[in-house]
Amino acid sequence: MTPAHGFSGFFRRPQPIQPKAGQESVWDYPRPPRVEPRSERVIVRVGGQVIADTTDAVRVLETSHPPVYYLPLASFPAGVLVPVEGTSFCEFKGEAHYFDVVAGGVVVARAGWTYPEPTRGFEALSTRVALYPARMDSCEVDGEQVTFQKGDFYGGWITRQIVGPFKGGPGTAGW
């Protein structure tokens, strides 16, 4: 029997890290995901410039994933988000559209995305953009430099308050 046909234990759920006081486990996040408004100050830099600074973010929480922060499109200066061709589809949120992020003479290809017409329950994302923190110079939440979710598909933001293990790296596709 091959792993794709149900080999027992091949895609075993990992052992969640027990959160300490003030921490969250991504294994307690829901599936389907939920959108949660946040008031922390979020600052993003590219090309040595601040491209977003807001206290009006939302984050999407989904089992096994670090939160993905979505920032208001209006928090970005004109010309920073340049729409590009191509879309992808999320079974929960709908069709994503992409942006190149441009600042300080740097072009970061397809580094941001939005859901201009999200599915029901995700309407808050229609005027917001998410960014891959691994592709930015820096992303901060309340002054803390975030680390990024491994892999090139997800855009999770990891802070000291979030514990895993996290989906995204090698060997985690079946979680």
Side-chain angles (χ1 to χ4, degrees):
M1 192 178 289
T2 65
H5 292 97
F7 178 76
S8 178
F10 184 79
F11 288 128
R12 191 172 302 156
R13 178 181 161 157
Q15 185 64 39
I17 296 169
Q18 186 66 32
K20 296 178 181 160
Q23 290 184 318
E24 303 171 0
S25 170
V26 298
W27 293 93
D28 293 331
Y29 292 165
R31 186 166 175 91
R34 108 175 151 251
V35 177
E36 174 185 88
R38 302 301 286 184
S39 60
E40 299 105 334
R41 185 174 184 193
V42 176
I43 300 173
V44 179
R45 292 178 180 83
V46 168
Q49 297 180 353
V50 172
I51 62 163
D53 185 345
T54 185
T55 56
D56 183 28
V58 300
R59 61 182 194 164
V60 173
L61 308 177
E62 181 176 356
T63 306
S64 78
H65 297 272
V68 175
Y69 280 76
Y70 286 77
L71 313 179
L73 288 163
S75 68
F76 293 84
V80 167
L81 299 174
V82 178
V84 295
E85 293 293 317
T87 61
S88 63
F89 185 78
C90 171
E91 65 183 302
F92 302 114
K93 298 179 285 289
E95 188 176 76
H97 294 248
Y98 291 84
F99 297 101
D100 286 350
V101 178
V102 180
V106 174
V107 176
V108 188
R110 295 177 66 85
W113 69 96
T114 189
Y115 293 92
E117 297 178 23
T119 58
R120 200 174 99 202
F122 294 92
E123 295 86 356
L125 305 182
S126 69
T127 58
R128 297 174 183 277
V129 64
L131 302 165
Y132 289 106
R135 300 183 192 175
M136 304 295 106
D137 291 351
S138 67
C139 297
E140 299 172 13
V141 176
D142 271 349
E144 179 185 348
Q145 171 70 38
V146 306
T147 57
F148 57 88
Q149 183 175 11
K150 291 182 181 172
D152 60 0
F153 184 73
Y154 306 108
W157 296 37
I158 303 170
T159 62
R160 290 184 307 268
Q161 289 77 28
I162 309 300
V163 297
F166 308 112
K167 184 173 181 166
T172 65
W175 290 2

